């Protein structure tokens, strides 16, 4: 038992961020002879490597065009400042890799069946693949370490290995994991990935690298892109063919999608391939209600709202005058996922007797986020919502995108992938010929590097990804792999107001707020004007950004969209698709080389 306690303490300590490169080794705390003896030892160690996203995942779109933020998120700092290896210093930490490799160096000593040992080795290699994918996404070329490195080892001070070599090694890890990790093992911790979660990561990684190589000429790897795209299509097709998963659809188009993000138990949901389970009654609670909702650091963007289709499958951006539609009208007859992702007119907050009226705060968009928000006043309920880590919807969209990029997509492929997702919210099917025959001009402007016969359907698959996974920490990766970083230079905007005056924000036809001139004083409560229901209007002083007002409008008193900031953003291509190696690491290891113009 003592060795188990020692190992748990070791692994707990290793989970914290550590900027010191390989500065302490596991073998200084535990010897392989004393520990790696039984299946129980292997399970205990691998359980300690478990790492999954929690409720904070719903906050990670702050780096994208899905949201505005008042926080100093890295991407915003990069685009608005003068970044260098002295100011951008994160990411070059390797402690987790050391613990993974230590297991892989020693697991073979255990007295266990070969398939059992291969199962745990597969999980460790899955974690190593995730670790390296994050590193490659950030730095491109990185040193590959397949073994535990000791202090003083010459290998510690080598230069980076080429991205192609590292990603081949990552794919080999995932292929091994997919072939050897079992569907379920009794000794693993709750939430430990099984075979199908591993395969979902395998498909995700292949799609990422295939599209990244296709759309990033600076890598000089475009000739090898299809190899990865074919793997993405093949692996996702195998998951589909297993018949183990379904899109969650009970015939309630206005509720089924939202149920994936506020459920108290996702363990039996056939769409959820892997969930991070929370239960406050079992001392494992977590909630982000106070930060997710839309008036803390982040708020959804108008550009995201405009991406959702109309309920009949037509494009919102084809509606005449769509840029001047206010909050109530822009939510009418839309893809039902919009009102299950953002607060909609008439939404009622738990504990309140009347519909919620959007709060309009400085530097925010006015939109409020529902995904990840648990609409309850019960503390146990708030802290016990499960988080989906991998969803079957991702597998279907991975399959469709890979086939579209390969040029092999058929209508039958769409019918067994994208159209199953659309069916949940009763949207019309995506038709291959129609999409390619009439590409969306707004999407064409966003993604000018998409060409070929499947251009229109690729746009629509990208729309589906953005809508389906909004606020699930997918958007930034998608924008990066599609070489669409210029999208992030547009400062997110919010609700549209035609000018000063009264506005209905709940959809009942009765005004709820009033925008007054910056020169006016907001009256006391007893002197405020009341609407036809006898309720006092909520007053805001409106004007241009920088003025002494609460609501910033693009055209000041003349109205326009709510604006959030003025700092100009620039995106240097290809430099800003990557991050610099921190200067202190360059000083410690002169063999390291900065790439893509970083200094």
């Amino acid at each position: 038992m003592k060795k188990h306690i020692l190992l748990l303490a070791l692994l707990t300590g290793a989970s914290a961020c550590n900027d010191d490169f390989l500065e302490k080794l596991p073998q200084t705390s535990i010897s392989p002879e004393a520990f790696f003896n039984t299946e129980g030892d292997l399970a205990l160690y691998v359980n300690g490597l478990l790492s999954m996203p929690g409720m904070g995942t719903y906050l990670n779109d702050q780096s994208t065009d899905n949201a505005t933020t008042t926080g100093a998120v890295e991407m915003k700092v990069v685009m608005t400042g003068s970044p260098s290896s002295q100011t951008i210093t994160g990411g070059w930490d390797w402690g987790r890799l050391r613990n993974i490799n230590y297991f892989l160096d020693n697991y073979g000593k255990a007295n266990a069946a070969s398939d059992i040992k291969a199962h745990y080795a597969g999980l460790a290699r899955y974690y190593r693949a995730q670790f390296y994918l994050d590193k490659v996404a950030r730095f491109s070329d990185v040193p590959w370490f397949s073994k535990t490195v000791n202090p003083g080892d010459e290998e510690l001070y080598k230069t980076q290995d080429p991205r192609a070599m590292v990603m081949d090694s990552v794919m080999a890890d995932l292929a091994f994991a997919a072939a050897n990790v079992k569907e379920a093992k009794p000794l693993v911790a709750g939430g430990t990935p099984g075979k199908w979660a591993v395969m979902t990561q395998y498909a995700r990684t292949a799609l990422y690298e295939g599209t990244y190589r296709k759309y990033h000429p600076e890598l000089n790897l475009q000739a090898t892109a299809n190899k990865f795209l074919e793997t993405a299509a093949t692996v996702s097709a195998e998951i589909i063919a297993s018949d183990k998963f379904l899109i969650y659809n009970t015939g309630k188009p206005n509720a089924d999608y939202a149920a994936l993000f506020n459920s108290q138990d996702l363990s039996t949901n056939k769409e959820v391939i892997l969930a991070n389970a929370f239960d406050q009654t079992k001392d494992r609670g977590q909630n982000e209600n106070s930060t997710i909702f839309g008036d803390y650091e982040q708020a959804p963007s108008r550009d995201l709202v405009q991406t959702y289709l109309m309920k009949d499958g037509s494009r919102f951006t084809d509606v005449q005058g769509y840029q001047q539609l206010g909050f109530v009208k822009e939510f009418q007859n839309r893809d039902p996922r919009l009102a299950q992702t953002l607060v909609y007119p008439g939404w009622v907050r738990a504990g309140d007797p009347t519909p919620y009226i959007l709060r309009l705060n400085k530097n925010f968009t006015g939109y409020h986020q529902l995904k990840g928000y648990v609409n309850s006043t019960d503390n146990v309920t708030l802290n016990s919502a499960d988080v989906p880590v991998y969803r079957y919807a991702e597998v279907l969209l991975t399959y469709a995108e890979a086939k579209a990029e390969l040029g092999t997509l058929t209508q039958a492929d769409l019918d067994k992938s994208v159209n199953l997702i659309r069916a949940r919210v009763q949207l019309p099917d995506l038709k291959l010929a129609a999409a390619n025959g009439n590409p969306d001009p707004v999407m064409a402007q966003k993604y000018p590097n998409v060409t070929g016969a499947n251009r229109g359907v690729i746009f629509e698959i990208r729309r589906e990804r953005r809508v389906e996974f909004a606020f699930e920490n997918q958007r930034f990766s998608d924008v990066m792999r599609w070489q669409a970083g210029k999208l992030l230079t547009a400062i997110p905007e919010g609700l549209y107001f035609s000018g000063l005056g009264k506005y209905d924000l709940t959809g009942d036809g009765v005004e709820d707020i009033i925008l007054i001139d910056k020169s006016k004083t907001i009256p006391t409560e007893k002197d405020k004007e009341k609407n036809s229901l006898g309720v006092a209007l909520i007053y805001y002083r409106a004007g241009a950004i920088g003025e002494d007002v609460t609501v910033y409008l693009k055209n000041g008193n003349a109205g326009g969209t709510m604006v959030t900031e003025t700092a100009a953003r620039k995106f240097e291509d290809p430099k800003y698709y990557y991050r610099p190696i921190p200067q202190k690491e360059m000083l410690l290891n002169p063999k390291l080389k900065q790439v893509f113009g970083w200094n």
Side-chain angles (χ1 to χ4, degrees):
M1 180 59 68
K2 285 184 178 179
K3 66 181 180 181
H4 287 192
I5 294 172
L6 177 63
L7 182 62
L8 286 173
L10 165 69
L11 292 171
T12 301
S15 67
C17 276
N18 188 344
D19 287 331
D20 296 323
F21 181 61
L22 299 179
E23 38 75 55
K24 185 178 179 182
L25 293 166
Q27 51 265 59
T28 63
S29 302
I30 182 171
S31 69
E33 294 76 21
F35 184 76
F36 293 98
N37 297 315
T38 68
E39 180 184 353
D41 291 345
L42 301 184
L44 182 65
Y45 197 110
V46 169
N47 289 348
L49 295 174
L50 179 64
S51 177
M52 292 193 294
M55 295 293 286
T57 194
Y58 300 124
L59 296 166
N60 285 327
D61 276 7
Q62 291 181 51
S63 295
T64 78
D65 52 350
N66 280 354
T68 187
T69 180
T70 57
V73 298
E74 185 180 74
M75 191 70 245
K76 184 174 150 184
V77 169
V78 166
M79 291 190 297
T80 59
S82 300
S84 71
S85 62
Q86 293 176 284
T87 60
I88 305 296
T89 59
W92 200 261
D93 48 285
W94 301 79
R96 178 169 173 79
L97 175 65
R98 184 176 61 250
N99 286 301
I100 294 168
N101 280 342
Y102 186 65
F103 175 86
L104 290 169
D105 288 346
N106 292 288
Y107 79 94
K109 299 179 175 67
N111 182 20
S114 59
D115 65 316
I116 296 298
K117 290 195 283 188
H119 166 78
Y120 291 108
L123 285 172
R125 291 181 71 171
Y126 158 84
Y127 289 131
R128 184 167 69 185
Q130 284 186 318
F131 175 89
Y132 264 108
L133 180 61
D134 288 344
K135 287 288 182 283
V136 169
R138 186 172 178 86
F139 302 107
S140 199
D141 293 350
V142 291
W144 172 264
F145 296 103
S146 61
K147 303 289 185 183
T148 309
V149 182
N150 296 310
D153 284 357
E154 186 175 343
E155 189 181 14
L156 183 67
Y157 300 100
K158 71 175 186 175
T159 190
Q160 301 101 306
D161 291 299
R163 179 188 185 115
M165 175 268 177
V166 174
M167 286 308 299
D168 282 348
S169 301
V170 166
M171 296 300 283
D173 273 352
L174 289 169
F176 180 91
N180 290 283
V181 172
K182 298 178 182 295
E183 288 196 37
K185 282 294 295 175
L187 294 181
V188 298
T192 295
K195 173 185 177 67
W196 303 108
V198 167
M199 290 191 68
T200 303
Q201 180 66 53
Y202 191 10
R204 176 190 288 185
T205 303
L207 181 69
Y208 175 87
E209 188 63 10
T211 49
Y212 205 100
R213 292 187 183 197
K214 179 174 181 175
Y215 290 107
H216 282 267
E218 74 273 8
L219 295 179
N220 295 315
L221 293 173
Q222 288 169 302
T224 58
N226 280 4
K227 175 181 70 171
F228 289 86
L229 292 172
E230 287 163 1
T231 299
T234 299
V235 174
S236 53
E238 185 177 343
I239 301 171
I240 293 169
S242 74
D243 286 328
K244 292 182 178 293
F245 306 101
L246 297 168
I247 291 298
Y248 180 68
N249 185 353
T250 70
K252 299 176 181 176
N254 296 315
D256 285 342
Y257 177 70
L260 293 164
F261 313 107
N262 55 35
S263 173
Q264 300 291 291
D265 183 8
L266 290 173
S267 62
T268 59
N269 190 301
K270 293 287 286 183
E271 180 170 342
V272 179
I273 298 172
L274 180 66
N276 195 350
F278 292 94
D279 187 342
Q280 183 164 295
T281 65
K282 297 178 181 178
D283 295 323
R284 195 169 195 278
Q286 185 182 75
N287 88 78
E288 294 279 0
N289 264 17
S290 62
T291 51
I292 284 172
F293 193 58
D295 54 8
Y296 172 64
E297 269 193 2
Q298 74 175 34
S301 71
R302 185 172 176 81
D303 187 73
L304 172 62
V305 172
Q306 293 178 345
T307 301
Y308 290 76
L309 295 170
M310 302 298 292
K311 195 172 184 178
D312 64 4
S314 62
R315 300 185 289 241
F316 174 75
T317 50
D318 286 347
V319 174
Q320 187 173 4
Y322 77 94
Q323 293 282 26
Q324 285 76 45
L325 291 181
F327 176 64
V328 173
K329 287 188 176 180
E330 67 185 351
F331 270 74
Q332 291 174 352
N333 300 315
R334 301 296 296 280
D335 177 341
R337 285 173 291 187
L338 176 58
Q340 295 172 72
T341 304
L342 305 187
V343 168
Y344 53 89
W347 177 77
V348 179
R349 196 174 193 174
D352 292 340
T354 57
Y356 181 78
I357 301 169
L358 300 177
R359 288 181 56 186
L360 310 182
N361 292 355
K362 289 180 180 179
N363 302 111
F364 288 87
T365 64
Y367 297 109
H368 289 55
Q369 181 178 331
L370 280 185
K371 183 179 280 190
Y373 181 86
V374 181
N375 194 22
S376 173
T377 58
D378 179 75
N379 202 46
V380 172
T381 301
L382 290 177
N383 284 281
S384 302
D386 289 356
V387 176
V389 177
Y390 297 120
R391 295 198 283 121
Y392 186 51
E394 178 182 351
V395 175
L396 299 183
L397 287 172
T398 294
Y399 176 78
E401 185 178 350
K403 298 277 281 186
E405 293 287 2
L406 287 165
T408 60
L409 183 74
T410 66
Q411 185 60 49
D413 291 328
L414 288 175
D415 291 342
K416 70 178 185 181
S417 58
V418 174
N419 290 334
L420 297 179
I421 298 171
R422 286 190 170 201
R424 185 209 327 258
V425 290
Q426 296 181 4
L427 274 185
D429 287 349
L430 174 60
K431 297 298 184 181
L432 179 63
N436 285 332
N438 182 23
D440 183 354
V442 173
M443 297 289 276
Q445 208 169 29
K446 290 178 182 292
Y447 308 111
N449 56 351
V450 177
T451 59
N454 275 334
R455 180 167 169 258
V457 79
I458 287 172
F459 291 157
E460 294 310 315
I461 292 169
R462 291 185 180 189
R463 182 197 308 278
E464 286 294 322
R465 280 193 65 90
R466 187 179 186 186
V467 164
E468 181 70 19
F469 301 124
F471 305 109
E472 292 182 65
N473 198 23
Q474 297 265 20
R475 181 63 177 170
F476 185 76
S477 175
D478 287 348
V479 168
M480 294 296 103
R481 65 189 177 90
W482 295 332
Q483 204 212 17
K486 293 291 174 64
L487 293 177
L488 307 183
T489 62
I491 298 172
E493 297 179 358
L495 302 177
Y496 176 84
F497 295 100
S498 58
L500 303 182
K502 304 170 191 175
Y503 293 91
D504 168 27
L505 295 181
T506 61
D508 60 0
V510 178
E511 295 92 348
D512 304 297
I513 70 167
I514 181 170
L515 304 183
I516 62 174
D517 186 82
K518 63 179 181 293
S519 63
K520 304 292 185 181
T521 301
I522 295 178
T524 61
E525 200 64 31
K526 68 181 181 64
D527 293 326
K528 286 182 178 178
E529 182 179 346
K530 293 180 173 56
N531 61 24
S532 61
L533 300 177
V535 178
L537 295 173
I538 299 171
Y539 281 67
Y540 293 100
R541 296 168 70 233
I545 194 165
E547 295 180 335
D548 184 19
V549 294
T550 304
V551 175
Y552 297 143
L553 298 178
K554 179 176 279 189
N555 303 314
N557 287 352
T561 52
M562 291 179 64
V563 292
T564 57
E565 58 182 273
T566 58
R569 301 179 177 193
K570 62 179 179 180
F571 192 97
E572 295 187 28
D573 189 346
K575 180 178 179 180
Y576 286 178
Y577 287 105
Y578 312 94
R579 297 295 173 269
I581 299 171
Q583 185 186 47
K584 68 174 183 178
E585 302 298 341
M586 300 287 291
L587 294 174
L588 288 170
N589 181 5
K591 291 182 181 178
L592 295 175
K593 299 174 182 177
Q594 293 288 13
V595 293
F596 303 116
W598 284 102
N599 55 56

